[in-house]
């Protein structure tokens, strides 16, 4: 009788483990489908704000000229960013005023600039959504 009871308990434990794994797999699969869904280029363009050319001095007395496109997470965020155009430009100029030409050169420097800008915009200005990506569409340093 002990062997029979032990077998039943072992079966129940294995059944619980298998059912738990199936539930976790299904929940994780649904989360990935929603979070990692690739948007079409038309959907991306519906949430992109273009910032016209900005020319400013760097900390190192160099001059930089750049244009940006900011991808938001929703059409509402895009509308908000369009209204905040002057604040975006001010933030870009402020960041670059404390940046040397060496700091912003190369891929790592530009990535660091993008991250700093995104963090400042999201934390200081955005109420209706977030800036997801920042694209440098033009960049010239002299």
């Amino acid at each position: 009788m002990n062997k029979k009871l032990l077998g039943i308990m072992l079966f129940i434990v294995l059944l619980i483990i298998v059912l738990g794994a199936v539930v976790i797999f299904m929940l994780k699969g649904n989360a990935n489908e929603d979070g990692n869904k690739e948007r079409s280029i038309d959907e991306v363009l519906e949430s992109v704000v273009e910032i016209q050319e900005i020319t400013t001095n760097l900390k190192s007395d160099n001059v930089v000229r750049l244009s940006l496109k900011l991808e938001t997470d929703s059409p509402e965020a895009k509308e908000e960013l369009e209204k905040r155009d002057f604040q975006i430009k001010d933030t870009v100029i402020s960041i670059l005023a404390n940046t040397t030409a060496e700091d912003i050169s190369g891929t790592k420097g530009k990535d660091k600039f993008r991250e700093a800008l995104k963090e400042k915009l999201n934390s200081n200005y955005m109420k209706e959504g977030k800036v997801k990506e920042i694209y440098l569409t033009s960049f010239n340093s002299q």
Side-chain angles (χ1 to χ4, degrees), residues 28-114:
K28 187 177 179 183
N30 287 341
N32 284 343
E33 288 174 11
D34 294 340
N36 294 334
K37 181 182 164 194
E38 287 286 325
R39 299 187 324 163
S40 72
I41 190 63
D42 292 328
E43 291 171 326
V44 169
L45 289 175
E46 288 175 4
S47 62
V48 170
V49 175
E50 183 173 0
I51 304 301
Q52 297 297 324
E53 188 173 88
I54 299 170
T55 303
T56 189
N57 294 327
L58 297 174
K59 184 178 181 180
S60 58
D61 292 328
N62 297 76
V63 175
V64 67
R65 181 180 300 148
L66 70 140
S67 301
L68 306 164
K69 288 200 180 204
L70 309 174
E71 181 184 349
T72 64
D73 61 359
S74 67
E76 295 81 16
K78 175 186 178 181
E79 186 176 325
E80 180 180 6
L81 268 186
E82 288 172 339
K83 293 175 183 176
R84 294 183 179 275
D85 178 70
F86 67 98
Q87 292 171 318
I88 295 166
K89 289 178 180 179
D90 178 69
T91 303
V92 168
I93 291 168
S94 295
I95 291 171
L96 291 174
N98 292 310
T99 304
T100 65
E102 293 171 3
D103 292 339
I104 203 162
S105 67
T107 303
K108 287 183 182 180
K110 288 176 182 61
D111 288 344
K112 188 175 176 182
F113 166 73
R114 284 186 193 103

